[in-house]
Amino acid sequence: MAPRLILLDTASLYFRAFYGVPDTIRRADGTPVNAVRGLLDMIARLTTDYEATHLVACWDDDWRPQWRVDLIPSYKSHRVAEVVAGAPDVEVVPDALQVQIPLIRQVLDLAGIAVVGAAEHEADDVVGTYASHAGLPVDVVTGDRDLFQIVDDARQVRVIYTARGMRNLEVLTDAVVVGKYRVLPGQYADFATLRGDSSDGLPGVAGVGEKTAASLLGEYGTLDGLLAAAADPGSGLSASVRSKLAAAADYLAVAPAVVNVVRDLELPTLEEAGAQLRPVAGDARAELERLATEWNLGGSVGRLLEALDRLQ
């Protein structure tokens, strides 16, 4: 089997599992397990359908890094449940999901699935770093558009987009991104900066929507190229666009650092992280099967074990 790496935007997936699988699925004591079941089924299907040999569950060690907030205070502010001085803020997470996260970590560990996060960085930054340096074909699985910026046919990096559900996965290549947004993946971060994104608390440039952002990047190539044109009285940029960019000058000075994923984190290598998928054997397999019974995980554990058994 040819080597292929899957990078999971893990929180995106377990949130999707939580809302996509009925919360009536519970342990005997009433503890919900729908997110655990759903995530395991996702991993089993993804590794099988996309013939993965390696997998990393990329983790949000800090879902809202302070350095990004310092640049744009509104960044994800609507999702803060509690501000914590000197530590990551507490995110709004339903209690019924929060109680499942430790079990998710336990099951992934027993299954031999690498979980990698980075201090003061989001899972997106872990994804960006591995995707940029993996040296093998990469499929990034996410429900967030932020990661469209790392699609790269030349590096064999695709995004498996889950926004329409696991039955309607969309595989994004360079051509698909261009077809959807009329910008290249390498322009996507600048496009998102101009357009803004209310789901992340990014205001964008007032009066510049998707079509205008795409048109401007089509003509000037990059945000830097656009701003250079705005500063040049002899350029053909309209007075209206110049005015909008000038009004957003403070935002545009800092937004790229927030929007662009980090690609140069010091992370364990794929080998050091244990990213290569293998069948689960011995005590770990027995413990997984025990947890499947104790926690009412149904056939999800069995399907994951079967997906990993194909790699022996």
Side-chain angles (χ1 to χ4, degrees):
M1 184 179 296
R4 177 170 289 277
L5 169 66
I6 283 182
L7 299 171
L8 303 180
D9 178 8
T10 314
S12 167
L13 298 185
Y14 64 60
F15 267 93
R16 178 160 295 280
F18 176 74
Y19 288 110
V21 178
D23 63 4
T24 52
I25 299 175
R26 295 172 177 263
R27 188 185 181 192
D29 66 0
T31 304
V33 293
N34 56 327
V36 186
R37 276 200 188 190
L39 180 63
L40 296 185
D41 279 334
M42 288 178 184
I43 294 173
R45 177 182 167 185
L46 290 163
T47 55
T48 301
D49 288 359
Y50 296 99
E51 299 185 330
T53 58
H54 298 69
L55 185 144
V56 177
C58 302
W59 206 263
D60 279 322
D61 277 11
D62 190 339
W63 68 279
R64 187 176 182 251
Q66 188 60 45
W67 59 270
R68 282 189 164 111
V69 176
D70 289 343
L71 294 171
I72 299 182
S74 62
Y75 182 64
K76 296 186 178 181
S77 60
H78 58 295
R79 289 158 53 184
V80 176
E82 180 184 351
V83 175
V84 180
D89 293 335
V90 178
E91 185 179 11
V92 175
V93 179
D95 291 344
L97 172 56
Q98 188 67 52
V99 298
Q100 299 182 63
I101 295 175
L103 181 59
I104 288 171
R105 289 293 298 255
Q106 182 181 6
V107 171
L108 293 179
D109 181 60
L110 287 168
I113 292 173
V115 177
V116 179
E120 300 179 355
H121 287 83
E122 302 172 55
D124 284 7
D125 302 316
V126 178
V127 170
T129 297
Y130 276 128
S132 299
H133 303 283
L136 67 162
V138 176
D139 287 327
V140 174
V141 187
T142 183
D144 295 333
R145 297 182 296 176
D146 306 350
L147 286 166
F148 292 178
Q149 63 186 276
I150 66 171
V151 170
D152 189 336
D153 286 1
R155 289 182 176 270
Q156 295 184 278
V157 177
R158 309 183 298 186
V159 164
I160 311 300
Y161 190 44
T162 65
R164 295 186 297 173
M166 291 297 292
R167 295 182 180 178
N168 297 288
L169 295 175
E170 185 175 13
V171 179
L172 276 82
T173 59
D174 287 6
V176 175
V177 174
V178 172
K180 289 172 74 74
Y181 298 106
R182 296 191 298 129
V183 296
L184 293 164
Q187 297 173 303
Y188 188 85
D190 287 347
F191 171 75
T193 295
L194 289 166
R195 175 202 63 199
D197 190 339
S198 60
S199 67
D200 280 339
L202 299 173
V205 176
V208 174
E210 288 197 355
K211 290 184 179 179
T212 301
S215 177
L216 291 170
L217 291 172
E219 184 168 357
Y220 297 101
T222 65
L223 178 60
D224 285 344
L226 174 60
L227 294 178
D232 178 5
S235 75
L237 195 63
S238 71
S240 173
V241 171
R242 290 176 192 270
S243 175
K244 291 169 183 174
L245 294 175
D250 290 345
Y251 163 77
L252 291 172
V254 296
V258 176
V259 176
N260 280 277
V261 299
V262 178
R263 298 172 184 248
D264 59 356
L265 292 175
E266 293 188 8
L267 299 175
T269 65
L270 294 177
E271 183 177 359
E272 291 167 345
Q276 185 168 350
L277 296 169
R278 296 180 173 87
V280 183
D283 292 345
R285 191 178 189 105
E287 179 64 8
L288 269 176
E289 290 170 342
R290 186 190 69 79
L291 285 175
T293 300
E294 178 185 340
W295 283 86
N296 186 31
L297 299 181
S300 299
V301 166
R303 286 185 285 274
L304 177 61
L305 290 173
E306 183 179 349
L308 297 176
D309 285 344
R310 70 186 170 81
L311 295 159
Q312 56 191 336

